[in-house]
Amino acid sequence: MNVQKIRHPLALLREQKGMTHGAYAMLVAQTHAELGFGTMAARREKVARWESGRITPETSAQLAMAHLHGVPRTEVERLGWPDWLYTATGHSEVLSAPWTYGSAVEAMNRIAHASPRATEHRYGVFSCTDGIADLCAAWLDGAAGAEWLPAERGQRIDGATVAVLEDRQKQLHHLYAAIGGRPVQPLADTELRMISDLIRNASCDQPTGARLLGLAADAATFAGWLAVESGDQTRAQSAFLTSMRCAAAAGDTRRGAYAMLVAAKQKIDLWDLPGTSALLDAARRLCESSRPSPRMLASMASTHALVSAMEGDADAVARQLDTTFDLYAAERHEDDLDCTEWLTLEAVRLQAGFAHAYLGGTQEALDYLLPLYDHEAVATSIPDRDGALGQVHIALAHASAGDGDTAVQWVRNIPESLEQSPSFCVESHFQHLLARLDAESPTPVVRDFLQSQRHRTPRAAVA
């Protein structure tokens, strides 16, 4: 089996800084001198050779790079070249390991037993187009040579046991929709550890093993989304990468595609658009490569519409939304994963309204969003978090039309809602709205509201 890794970690780090080979060589040389290591040649060819894997930098050059990227000398010495570079991305082991069944098990074990933390470090392989392309190639290579659980090892489990665990995952999703991420996260972490321990220690036949790995992929993706909501963006990306490894080990393209889709949603909520369309395109190709799921493809199209809207491409938004509604209208069938049941007509209309709000299309946005709040019976079918996001985007639509006073009326309860149920995603879009209101000659009503928010401490970290 070819155990291809993703793009060289130095290339990832350099591209994240937006630097050419030559500019990066100059920066390393300058840092090298400032640290007292003496002068070194600042040639672009040198950096290119480092990234090719043909040449290993001298120790002093590595320490200069480590200083640039905030990596301790002890990690440089412990991990060696080039693996210490992955530490700077926040996903050291999950990025550098080969794509094998054993690596998927180890990645699952690490993410299942990692302690949650708040962090501002959010970048990794999903931050550049080339890295995304290499990740997809590595995924396909890993899935093509998928391995399986040994036939006899540890406690034996069967499909009925996995079915119980699958149902528990669905119940966690329902709880998240009903009460938010904070109270659900401890339960999700416990489930994640149990599934990880079963993968490591239990035995089963191959069909059951495939289901267990697919369940692990689902649980890791869900844990990643809860990490996004809590503001732990590094753990979120590690969880999405772990989900992709488990899906590859199971040979399950749909679950690999779903992990990419949720990673793209994270980038949207971080307002980190470069590479997001490439990630969604890769997810769509993976989804279509074996057993297409109309509902998942609809979710990808609606997410792509948001990216296009944030980039100001109205024509692409129209195409993607047409595709979304056409795919959603298709009958559900066995190739639709459980996760697609969350794609309701209300959710599709919310996404369409959000897209038009980003484009500045006030009336179009309100046409999609306001009916969802007109009748109590309809409004209660929207999870509280999505309902809060809808209010923020209705306010954004009014702000785009120059009606800041009405915008404020729609979001007066958002701070209280965030106190009760913190959400990074709601907080991120709410802060974007506040900045928009502040930039457009605020009225007295808007000024008073903005002033009241300046003394508020967000409960969910905002990048």
Side-chain angles (χ1 to χ4, degrees):
M1 175 183 174
N2 181 359
V3 290
Q4 172 185 353
K5 295 183 182 181
I6 64 165
R7 191 170 181 81
H8 194 282
L10 181 58
L12 290 175
L13 293 174
R14 176 180 56 77
E15 290 165 3
Q16 287 162 17
K17 285 184 171 293
M19 303 184 77
T20 64
H21 289 91
Y24 189 78
M26 289 290 292
L27 183 58
V28 173
Q30 179 183 346
T31 306
H32 190 273
E34 291 173 350
L35 293 176
F37 295 137
T39 59
M40 64 174 288
R43 296 195 301 270
R44 62 173 302 279
E45 295 83 1
K46 180 183 294 188
V47 176
R49 287 196 294 269
W50 293 342
E51 292 180 5
S52 73
R54 298 193 301 269
I55 300 294
T56 298
E58 294 182 357
T59 299
S60 61
Q62 292 189 44
L63 293 176
M65 285 184 275
H67 182 79
L68 284 173
H69 299 294
V71 178
R73 179 171 185 154
T74 53
E75 289 299 281
V76 176
E77 295 170 345
R78 181 178 72 87
L79 296 171
W81 179 270
D83 287 346
W84 70 260
L85 290 161
Y86 287 106
T87 304
T89 70
H91 317 287
S92 178
E93 296 90 348
V94 78
L95 281 173
S96 60
W99 286 69
T100 62
Y101 163 74
S103 294
V105 172
E106 289 306 313
M108 187 68 177
N109 183 57
R110 281 192 296 272
I111 197 64
H113 294 90
S115 299
R117 64 209 183 281
T119 175
E120 294 181 359
H121 197 132
R122 70 190 190 202
Y123 294 107
V125 68
F126 300 129
S127 64
C128 64
T129 302
D130 287 341
I132 290 167
D134 289 344
L135 175 64
C136 298
W139 194 98
L140 290 170
D141 189 35
E147 303 175 45
W148 296 95
L149 291 166
E152 298 292 339
R153 178 167 60 85
Q155 182 179 5
R156 188 94 178 158
I157 62 172
D158 57 18
T161 302
V162 178
V164 172
L165 294 172
E166 290 169 340
D167 186 62
R168 287 165 67 105
Q169 275 297 303
K170 290 178 67 174
Q171 294 304 314
L172 285 176
H173 282 269
H174 283 288
L175 284 173
Y176 166 68
I179 61 178
R182 183 169 58 178
V184 171
Q185 188 155 13
L187 298 174
D189 288 343
T190 299
E191 291 291 312
L192 194 70
R193 286 191 291 272
M194 178 167 59
I195 294 167
S196 174
D197 291 344
L198 284 173
I199 290 175
R200 290 175 65 86
N201 302 315
S203 64
C204 57
D205 57 27
Q206 287 196 0
T208 303
R211 285 180 64 186
L212 186 59
L213 284 166
L215 174 63
D218 289 342
T221 300
F222 185 52
W225 184 248
L226 292 178
V228 170
E229 283 282 72
S230 69
D232 190 348
Q233 307 305 331
T234 299
R235 184 171 192 258
Q237 286 202 350
S238 288
F240 299 146
L241 289 163
T242 296
S243 176
M244 291 179 64
R245 286 188 177 278
C246 291
D252 192 329
T253 55
R254 296 172 303 157
R255 285 186 166 86
Y258 183 64
M260 286 185 176
L261 169 63
V262 181
K265 290 179 179 292
Q266 177 195 26
K267 285 170 66 64
I268 290 172
D269 289 319
L270 288 167
W271 300 86
D272 177 27
L273 298 184
T276 307
S277 292
L279 189 60
L280 287 167
D281 285 338
R284 177 181 52 77
R285 290 194 302 271
L286 280 180
C287 190
E288 292 175 340
S289 65
S290 58
R291 296 179 297 167
S293 160
R295 288 294 169 90
M296 187 169 313
L297 289 171
S299 185
M300 290 174 185
S302 69
T303 305
H304 215 149
L306 293 181
V307 179
S308 299
M310 295 167 84
E311 294 174 337
D313 190 343
D315 290 340
V317 170
R319 291 194 303 272
Q320 295 291 349
L321 289 180
D322 284 346
T323 299
T324 300
F325 283 103
D326 287 345
L327 288 166
Y328 181 81
E331 293 292 329
R332 293 186 64 89
H333 57 72
E334 62 182 9
D335 290 329
D336 288 328
L337 295 175
D338 287 342
C339 58
T340 63
E341 73 177 71
W342 308 107
L343 187 72
T344 63
L345 182 58
E346 290 81 10
V348 172
R349 292 185 64 85
L350 279 171
Q351 296 281 86
F354 296 173
H356 284 291
Y358 296 142
L359 285 174
T362 300
Q363 193 56 54
E364 294 89 344
L366 296 179
D367 286 346
Y368 279 112
L369 296 174
L370 287 180
L372 300 176
Y373 295 84
D374 279 349
H375 305 289
E376 184 177 352
V378 176
T380 54
S381 68
I382 307 172
D384 289 346
R385 169 193 170 278
D386 292 346
L389 277 174
Q391 290 175 268
V392 171
H393 286 81
I394 289 172
L396 179 61
H398 284 294
S400 297
D403 188 358
D405 290 1
T406 302
V408 166
Q409 295 306 313
W410 275 97
V411 293
R412 282 196 182 279
N413 68 331
I414 294 297
E416 180 181 356
S417 172
L418 286 167
E419 282 293 316
Q420 296 172 354
S421 183
S423 162
F424 172 89
C425 302
V426 175
E427 187 73 68
S428 176
H429 290 277
F430 179 57
Q431 293 295 329
H432 174 76
L433 171 68
L434 294 181
R436 176 70 176 270
L437 290 171
D438 195 32
E440 296 189 357
S441 302
T443 65
V445 169
V446 175
R447 279 199 301 271
D448 288 346
F449 183 69
L450 292 174
Q451 184 62 33
S452 71
Q453 297 310 300
R454 291 190 179 101
H455 302 291
R456 172 179 162 267
T457 301
R459 295 296 300 275
V462 178

